[in-house]
Amino acid sequence: MGVVATQFANSVCMNLRSFRKDGTPVDTPVWCTPYDGKLVCYTDERTFKAKRVQRNPEVELAACDVVGRCSSPWYHARCRVVRDPGERERIFARIRDKYGIHWYLSLWGSILTNKVKHRLVLEFELLSFASEGIFQPAPELIAQAKAYAGPVSR
């Protein structure tokens, strides 16, 4: 497993930095897991972060805890919405394996509040290492992320 994939696989959350129309960054901690050389997460399609990443798929990512304290450097990435039902189920299975009982509690809450039908799966392809807002090419990060294909380890 590559260094980058390990950082995100071992972290509780991923800090997703999306950008408003005026360019203001907005950081949001979300559950994530590596999947097929990329990082994946899910959110409600009605949230502002979902609207921001659909309008501007260029984002920054960092491994973090549940309150957003970063434990890795920031990485520049491109976001894509996953629409294929089979792929979505495989991604949900991977997230369920990583988060265990927390996944089931979240699912139960989503069922009670009728939010399951609004789940949006997001896939992130790492593009480069981001430092102080300056994007630096890092092909080795992309190669490491693409090389990861093993099961999630704890």
Side-chain angles (χ1 to χ4, degrees), residues 1-5 34-38 139-151:
M1 182 182 316
V3 174
V4 176
Y35 176 78
D36 283 347
K38 297 179 176 137
E140 67 277 357
L141 296 177
I142 296 169
Q144 287 176 0
K146 287 183 178 179
Y148 176 73

Side-chain angles (χ1 to χ4, degrees), residues 31-75:
W31 286 355
C32 79
T33 190
Y35 176 78
D36 283 347
K38 297 179 176 137
L39 296 169
V40 292
C41 74
Y42 74 96
T43 187
D44 189 307
E45 67 188 359
R46 300 167 297 181
T47 62
F48 285 111
K49 72 176 159 273
K51 294 173 184 177
R52 285 191 300 269
V53 299
Q54 288 181 77
R55 185 186 66 251
N56 178 9
E58 304 299 317
V59 297
E60 293 179 357
L61 309 172
C64 71
D65 61 12
V66 294
V67 294
R69 289 183 296 240
C70 295
S71 59
S72 79
W74 287 92
Y75 299 95

Side-chain angles (χ1 to χ4, degrees), residues 71-120:
S71 59
S72 79
W74 287 92
Y75 299 95
H76 181 62
R78 183 169 295 119
C79 178
R80 175 181 82 85
V81 175
V82 178
R83 304 222 185 261
D84 176 54
E87 189 174 10
R88 287 170 51 95
E89 287 307 313
R90 288 189 294 277
I91 289 169
F92 283 129
R94 180 67 66 94
I95 294 171
R96 182 186 63 237
D97 291 345
K98 179 176 180 180
Y99 291 99
I101 188 69
H102 300 287
W103 161 262
Y104 290 105
L105 292 171
S106 174
L107 179 62
W108 184 70
S110 293
I111 291 169
L112 286 176
T113 57
N114 203 23
K115 291 183 179 180
V116 172
K117 65 182 177 184
H118 296 288
R119 292 194 294 187
L120 183 71

Side-chain angles (χ1 to χ4, degrees), residues 4-18:
V4 176
T6 302
Q7 287 174 344
F8 287 96
N10 293 336
S11 71
V12 177
C13 291
M14 165 178 78
N15 206 339
L16 168 60
R17 179 177 285 167
S18 55

